[in-house]
């Protein structure tokens, strides 16, 4: 199994990092999170249409770059570092993964190229974002594909051209394609803690959908693992940003005639935080390599999601506390990453849920 990044993967990280530093500074994040749409179409076209960041994990035959979970994680990590405002996670990660894992080959050939080049903004609609075992309990599909039910929370559904919906049918779960703006479809934006990631309530009332694949329990778990691994990478990017900016602040802030970073208590706090981040990063990178190789622990993605969520929250709390009163003000950017960390902590399952899932997998393997 691969243990280090290749030259090409490091080059990908450098290219993505430079692009996002230019296109997603904190000033742009503040502007976009205040809009209803939540993203800049011109920047979206540059990053996904021109640079191909939405199709980095999509096979070349479907218009992508032919990478895997490792390459997707590299992009996600840099997205999290800059708090990129846009439907990349919903479209590239969530919808793209669902198409790769569950769609029929003919529908994959039709829909994936648009997702890969960013010309189609898609999202995956699930009626349970806590546990894959609960998916399919609220949204049902008739034999002709008509959908009824409610998803209490969907990522970037308000700007989606295509909604991929997992619904229960005649004894099995199915993946259904619904056009944005379809008859009977109601999308209600939600007020959330993290305004940089737009969430909506999606209601289906006799909405016409097209069945594009079946979703078994194993398929849903594979989709869940790949999404959670990418989300863990995104969280590690945010945690690293918070750690670096916090350490920098402790070197610049003077108290009693010396930088506060020279005080032993703060040194210990930063050292503990670095250790937690490095352990979570190792687990996160390991999860992507397990997914690409098909080897390793089946619970690696859940381990990564739980560890990354805890490390991100620790970095966010330290970022605010070590800045004193400034860290809690609106003018200071730290609160933007704090809100993203809190939202990501519970998205696709809390750390407690993932540790329970991990133990269940281990017990099953034993």
């Amino acid at each position: 199994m691969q243990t280090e990044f290749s030259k090409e993967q490091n080059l990908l990280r450098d290219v993505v990092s430079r692009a996002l530093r230019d296109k997603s500074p904190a000033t742009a994040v503040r502007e976009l999170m205040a809009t209803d749409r939540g993203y800049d179409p011109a920047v979206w076209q540059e990053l996904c249409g021109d640079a191909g960041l939405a199709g980095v994990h999509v096979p070349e035959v479907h218009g992508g770059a032919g990478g895997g979970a490792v390459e997707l994680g590299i992009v996600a990590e840099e997205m999290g570092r800059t708090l990129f405002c846009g439907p990349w996670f919903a479209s590239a990660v969530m919808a793209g993964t669902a198409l790769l894992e569950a769609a029929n080959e003919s529908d994959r050939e039709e829909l994936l190229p648009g997702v890969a080049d960013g010309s189609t903004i898609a999202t995956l609609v699930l009626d349970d974002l806590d546990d894959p075992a609960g998916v399919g309990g609220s949204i049902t599909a008739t034999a002709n594909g008509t959908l009824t039910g409610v998803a209490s929370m969907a990522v970037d559904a308000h700007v989606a051209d295509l909604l991929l919906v997992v619904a229960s049918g005649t004894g099995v779960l199915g993946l259904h394609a619904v056009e944005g703006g379809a008859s009977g479809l109601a999308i209600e934006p939600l007020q959330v803690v993290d305004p940089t990631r737009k969430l909506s309530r999606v209601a289906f009332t006799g909405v016409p959908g097209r069945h594009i694949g079946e979703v078994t329990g194993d398929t849903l778990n594979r989709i869940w693992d790949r999404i959670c691994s990418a989300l863990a990478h995104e969280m590690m990017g945010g945690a690293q940003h918070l750690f670096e900016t916090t350490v920098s602040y402790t070197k610049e802030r003077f108290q009693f005639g010396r930088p506060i970073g020279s005080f032993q208590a703060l040194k210990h706090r930063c050292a503990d935080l670095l250790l937690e981040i490095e352990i979570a990063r190792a687990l996160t990178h390991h999860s992507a390599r397990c997914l690409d190789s098909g080897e390793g622990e089946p619970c690696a993605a859940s381990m990564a999601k739980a560890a990354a969520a805890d490390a991100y929250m620790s970095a966010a709390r330290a970022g605010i506390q070590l800045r004193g009163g400034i860290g809690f003000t609106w003018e200071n950017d730290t609160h933007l990453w704090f809100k993203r960390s809190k939202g990501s902590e519970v998205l696709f399952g809390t750390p407690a849920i993932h540790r329970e899932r991990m133990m269940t997998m281990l017990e099953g393997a034993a």
Side-chain angles (χ1 to χ4, degrees), residues 173-236:
L173 293 176
L175 185 65
H176 302 263
V178 174
E179 297 295 327
S183 174
L185 178 65
I187 299 176
E188 177 189 353
L190 300 173
Q191 289 188 343
V192 292
V193 170
D194 173 23
T196 66
R197 174 171 278 151
K198 305 295 185 181
L199 302 176
S200 302
R201 178 182 183 272
V202 182
F204 302 89
T205 307
V207 176
R210 177 162 62 97
H211 184 275
I212 62 172
E214 291 188 358
V215 182
T216 65
D218 288 342
T219 302
L220 188 57
N221 275 299
R222 288 198 304 270
I223 293 171
W224 206 270
D225 285 344
R226 290 187 175 273
I227 292 173
C228 286
S229 177
L231 183 55
H233 280 84
E234 182 192 275
M235 289 191 286
M236 292 316 305

Side-chain angles (χ1 to χ4, degrees), residues 41 71 77 93 121 179 269 291 295 301 325:
E71 287 76 16
E77 204 165 327
V93 178
I121 295 176
E179 297 295 327
R269 180 75 181 276
L291 290 170
E295 302 174 355

Side-chain angles (χ1 to χ4, degrees), residues 22-33:
D22 180 47
K23 300 299 180 182
S24 184
T27 52
V29 172
R30 285 178 177 269
E31 291 174 5
L32 292 171
M33 74 181 193

Side-chain angles (χ1 to χ4, degrees), residues 218-286:
D218 288 342
T219 302
L220 188 57
N221 275 299
R222 288 198 304 270
I223 293 171
W224 206 270
D225 285 344
R226 290 187 175 273
I227 292 173
C228 286
S229 177
L231 183 55
H233 280 84
E234 182 192 275
M235 289 191 286
M236 292 316 305
Q240 185 63 33
H241 168 85
L242 286 168
F243 177 75
E244 291 172 357
T245 56
T246 300
V247 170
S248 177
Y249 178 81
T250 65
K251 294 177 180 179
E252 297 169 357
R253 174 74 167 90
F254 275 68
Q255 189 69 40
F256 306 113
R258 56 192 289 193
I260 62 174
S262 66
F263 297 130
Q264 190 176 45
L266 270 66
K267 287 181 179 180
H268 287 176
R269 180 75 181 276
C270 290
D272 290 343
L273 182 59
L274 175 61
L275 181 61
E276 184 176 3
I277 289 174
E278 288 302 317
I279 292 173
R281 191 199 317 279
L283 288 170
T284 298
H285 291 172
H286 178 67

Side-chain angles (χ1 to χ4, degrees), residues 73-85:
I74 289 171
V75 178
E77 204 165 327
E78 298 307 316
M79 292 276 183
R81 183 185 291 268
T82 60
L83 282 192
F84 174 70
C85 286

